[in-house]
Amino acid sequence: MTLDDRLHRAFSNLETRVNEKLAERPTPDISPEPTYRPSDRTWKILAPIAAAVVLLVAIGAAALLLRNQPDPVPPAGEVTTTTAAPGTTVPPPETSLPPTTQAPPPTTEAPTTTVPTDAFPADAFAGVTAVRAGADGVVAHGAGGATTLVDAPAVAAYHDGRGGLVYQLGSFEGPGEFREILYVRPGDVEPQLLVLGEDEIVRLVGVFDVQGEPHVAFTVTSGSSESRRDTLRMLGLDTLGVLDLGEVGFFEVGLMDVSVAGEVVVIQTSGEGIVQNEARTLDGEPKELLNAPELECAFIGVGGQECLLYLNITDDGLRYVAVAWSELEGDAADLVVIEVGTGAEEHRVPIGEVIPRDVDVEWPYVVVNTRSDIGAPADAYLVDFSDPGSSRVTALPGVGVAGAVRPL
Amino acid sequence: MEHSDGEIPVVRRPMPFEAFYLAEFPTMVALACAVSGSRLAAEDIAQEAMVEASKRWHVIGTYDKPGAWVRRVTIQKAGKRLRRARTEAAALLKLRPDDGLEPGPPDVEEVFDAIGRLPARQRAAVALHYLDGYSVAEVADILECAEGTAKAHLHKARRTLATALREEES
C-alpha cells in the first residue's frame, strides 16, 4: 500500500467514525437566536418622545456652540499639504492628533502622558524604542512610558527617521476597514494625507530610505477576489514621487531592505518562511541580485521546527540577521536571531503566533507582533538585544501592530 | 462608495447557516481531530469555529468559499488546543468517558500518531489535502500562505510520514 493510499484510507476512516458518532446524537438546534425588534406599537409610543429629546439636544448644542465660539484657526490649506498618491481620492482634511485634554490609555508600564501641544512635538520620539498602532491610536513606548501620538484607531505606524510619523487609520476588523495613510511632521497641526484607497485596499508596509529620501511603502489591492491584483508602491516623503515596484502577493508580509544603489530588495514572507527574495529596480523591473544572497523559502536548521520569518541584509551584502520562531511550547515561542558569523541567540517570547519585524545588526531591538486566533493582532513584545548577556523581553501595553524606532 | 460606469453592485445573500452547519460540521470535527490530535477535543474545537462563523455569518455567508474561512479558524483553534491537549486529555476522559470518537483500526491510528508528530502547519496541510481533497493552491489559500509554502509543507510532511510509517512497519 502506498503512502497516499494509507493517508486516504486513514482520513476516510476518520470521517466515517465522525459521521457515525454524530449520527448517534439528536440534531442540535442551531437556529439563530431571536433578535429584539421593537413592535409597531412600541415605535408609536417611543417616536414622539425620541423626536422631542433629539430636538432639545440640538437646541442645547447650538446654544453651547454660540457661547463657546473658538478663536479663528488658519484654514487647513495653510498648515496642511493635502496630497494623495495617483489613483486615489483626496478626502476633506482630517485632524487625528489627540486633543490636549485627552485622557491617556491605561498601561501597565510607566504612567501615560498625552502630547501637551496642538502641534506634533519635535521630541515625540525622544527615548522611544517602539511605536504601536491599535484601537487606542498610535502610542509611542519608551523609557518615559507610553505617549499617545494619534488619538484615532490605527492599523500601522512608522517613524520617518527624522521625527515625523507615518500612520494608517482603520481597524483590524478586516482589510476593508483599512483607511487612509497620513503623515505628520514636527510642528504640523494637522496631518498630511498621503494615500487614500477608495476602490482599493491599501496597506502601509513601512518607511524606508531610498537614496537618502524616506519613502512610504504600501501595497494596493484592486479587483475582485477572482481578478485580485496587488502592487507594491513607494511614495517619497519629500518629492511625493511615486515608485511602482510591481506585483506582490496579498497574504505575504512584504518586508524590504532598500539599497542605496537604485534597487530595492523585496522580501515576501508567508508567516512560515521566505516566499520570494528578489531585487527590483525602482521601476519595478526584476534585477539580478547583487547585494543580497539568493534565498529560497528557508526553513533554518537550528534545533527543531523553526521557520525563517524575517531577514535583513546590510548594504555591504555580507551580513544578515534572521529571525525565526521554533515550535511553540505552552504559551511561549523561541525566537531565534542569527547574525552570520556570530552564531545564533535564542530568546523566549511569550504567547503564540509571532511576527518579528524591525531588526537590524546596528539597532538592538526586535519588535515581535503576535496574532490572535482569528488572525487579528494581539500583544506586541520588544526584545532587547543591546546587552547580549542579559537581553530581555518586554510586553508593550495594549494590543496592536508595533515597529521599532531608531534614535534620530 | 461610488461605482463607475453605472455598474450596479451585486448584493450577495448568505446561504442559510443551518444548511452550512449540517454540511460542514462533520468534516470540521475530522479536521480538528487530525490537527489537534485529540479525539476528545475535536468536537469542541469544531463547535467553537462554527460559533465564530455564526456570529459573523452575515459577512462570511456571502464569501465565495465560507468553508475555507471555517477551516482556517478550526485549524487555528486546533493548533492552540494541541498544546493543551495532553494535559486536558486525562481530565476529559474522567469527565466524559463516552464523548470522544472511538479509536480507529491499529493501522489507521499509526497514521494519525505519525501525523500528530508533524509541525502544526504540516499537519493542517496534510489534513486539508487528504481529508478535503484540496489542491495545493486551495491549501495555500486556507493557510494564508504562498503556494510554494503549502507545497513545501506537504512535501516535508509526506517525507516525514513515509519515513515514520516505514519504520513502524519494519
Side-chain angles (χ1 to χ4, degrees), chain A residues 4 6 17 25 226 373, chain B residues 43 76 102 130 158 169:
Chain A
D4 268 358
R6 285 198 73 177
R17 279 182 286 140
R25 302 195 194 143
E226 286 80 20
D373 268 3
Chain B
E43 207 176 325
Q76 286 164 347
E102 294 297 322
Y130 287 96
R158 283 174 48 81
E169 279 166 10

Side-chain angles (χ1 to χ4, degrees), chain A residues 48-361:
Chain A
I49 300 170
V53 170
V54 168
L55 191 65
L56 282 171
V57 169
I59 291 168
L64 209 62
L65 275 174
L66 285 173
R67 279 180 55 195
N68 299 328
Q69 189 72 24
D71 292 337
V73 291
E78 291 182 14
V79 292
T80 305
T81 311
T82 304
T83 313
T88 62
T89 313
V90 179
E94 180 177 346
T95 303
S96 295
L97 298 179
T100 52
T101 54
Q102 179 66 34
T107 169
T108 54
E109 276 190 339
T112 302
T113 55
T114 306
V115 179
T117 64
D118 285 338
F120 194 75
D123 60 349
F125 293 99
V128 168
T129 50
V131 61
R132 178 183 57 79
D136 54 342
V138 178
V139 181
H141 299 274
T147 304
T148 301
L149 299 178
V150 175
D151 185 32
V155 291
Y158 296 93
H159 186 209
D160 73 349
R162 50 193 188 187
L165 176 74
V166 177
Y167 59 100
Q168 181 171 20
L169 297 176
S171 78
F172 296 114
E173 292 290 312
E177 301 300 320
F178 287 16
R179 291 171 53 201
E180 60 268 35
I181 298 173
L182 301 165
Y183 179 36
V184 60
R185 296 161 300 184
D188 281 352
V189 176
E190 290 189 356
Q192 173 184 349
L193 175 68
L194 294 180
V195 184
L196 172 69
E198 275 226 321
D199 292 327
E200 316 126 321
I201 295 167
V202 173
R203 287 177 188 239
L204 174 58
V205 173
V207 178
F208 302 89
D209 259 12
V210 177
Q211 296 174 317
E213 182 190 356
H215 279 66
V216 176
F218 58 99
T219 59
V220 178
T221 304
S222 52
S224 64
S225 59
E226 286 80 20
S227 60
R228 194 167 61 199
R229 185 170 179 270
D230 305 285
T231 53
L232 179 63
R233 294 181 195 167
M234 280 184 143
L235 177 70
L237 285 177
D238 295 333
T239 59
L240 298 175
V242 176
L243 304 171
D244 191 340
L245 296 171
E247 287 202 38
V248 289
F250 179 69
F251 289 116
E252 290 74 24
V253 178
L255 294 170
M256 300 175 295
D257 187 276
V258 179
S259 154
V260 293
E263 68 179 36
V264 174
V265 178
V266 180
I267 302 170
Q268 295 181 63
T269 65
S270 69
E272 289 276 312
I274 287 182
V275 175
Q276 195 172 34
N277 172 49
E278 60 174 0
R280 298 181 189 185
T281 67
L282 298 181
D283 297 324
E285 295 298 322
K287 189 178 176 183
E288 190 184 351
L289 275 169
L290 297 175
N291 292 336
E294 183 98 37
L295 293 162
E296 294 181 354
C297 178
F299 297 86
I300 57 173
V302 183
Q305 298 161 345
E306 308 86 357
C307 267
L308 189 62
L309 281 178
Y310 183 85
L311 184 102
N312 189 300
I313 304 151
T314 54
D315 286 341
D316 60 15
L318 298 175
R319 295 181 302 168
Y320 66 87
V321 173
V323 180
W325 59 268
S326 58
E327 181 71 340
L328 305 172
E329 284 180 21
D331 288 327
D334 289 324
L335 179 76
V336 184
V337 176
I338 299 169
E339 186 176 344
V340 170
T342 62
E345 291 196 35
E346 294 190 28
H347 301 269
R348 177 138 286 216
V349 179
I351 301 182
E353 198 171 349
V354 296
I355 310 168
R357 312 157 72 103
D358 295 332
V359 54
D360 64 45
V361 290

Side-chain angles (χ1 to χ4, degrees), chain A residues 3-4 6-11 13-15 17-19 21-22 25 27-28 30-32 198-199 225-226 228 251-252 270 272-275 297 299 305 327-331 351-353 371-375, chain B residues 1-2 18 21-22 25-27 29-30 33-34 43 56 64 76-77 80 83 98-105 107-112 115 119 121 126-127 130-131 141 144-146 149 153 158 161 165 169:
Chain A
L3 178 64
D4 268 358
R6 285 198 73 177
L7 288 167
H8 281 302
R9 177 175 135 68
F11 278 102
N13 177 276
L14 173 64
E15 208 166 14
R17 279 182 286 140
V18 169
N19 281 322
K21 185 78 188 172
L22 295 177
R25 302 195 194 143
T27 307
I30 50 170
S31 52
E198 275 226 321
D199 292 327
S225 59
E226 286 80 20
R228 194 167 61 199
F251 289 116
E252 290 74 24
S270 69
E272 289 276 312
I274 287 182
V275 175
C297 178
F299 297 86
Q305 298 161 345
E327 181 71 340
L328 305 172
E329 284 180 21
D331 288 327
I351 301 182
E353 198 171 349
R371 293 203 299 184
S372 69
D373 268 3
I374 53 171
Chain B
M1 187 181 291
E2 288 180 11
E18 292 85 345
Y21 179 97
L22 292 172
F25 186 66
T27 311
V29 176
C33 183
E43 207 176 325
R56 301 168 172 80
D64 289 342
Q76 286 164 347
K77 288 187 177 298
K80 288 213 160 187
R83 302 200 290 276
D98 296 321
D99 226 19
L101 284 176
E102 294 297 322
D107 63 319
V108 166
E109 288 303 304
E110 272 173 23
V111 173
F112 284 114
I115 290 173
R121 303 279 278 186
V126 166
Y130 287 96
L131 173 68
D141 188 36
E144 293 186 300
C145 66
T149 308
H153 286 324
R158 283 174 48 81
L161 289 174
L165 293 173
E169 279 166 10

